[in-house]
Amino acid sequence: MNETYRALAEFAQTWGLLYFVGIFLCVLAYALSPRRGKQFEDAARMPLRED
């Protein structure tokens, strides 16, 4: 049991870290993409609109 736990913990630590770093980089690329600038600008001004 102890050896199984260590193997699973090592697997989760290694691949979990890589998974979350990958997700972070995808979100960062999405947020900083020049193609999304207009969309984010419109969203930022939405509370100021008078409908």
Side-chain angles (χ1 to χ4, degrees), residues 12-51:
Q13 288 171 358
T14 302
W15 292 105
L17 175 65
L18 292 175
Y19 174 75
F20 284 115
V21 167
I23 294 295
F24 174 77
L25 291 175
C26 289
V27 168
L28 189 65
Y30 173 79
L32 298 178
S33 173
R35 294 184 301 173
R36 303 281 183 216
K38 173 98 169 85
Q39 180 183 2
F40 290 147
E41 187 66 32
D42 290 343
R45 296 192 185 282
M46 194 178 298
L48 304 175
R49 289 188 197 145
E50 294 183 27
D51 289 331

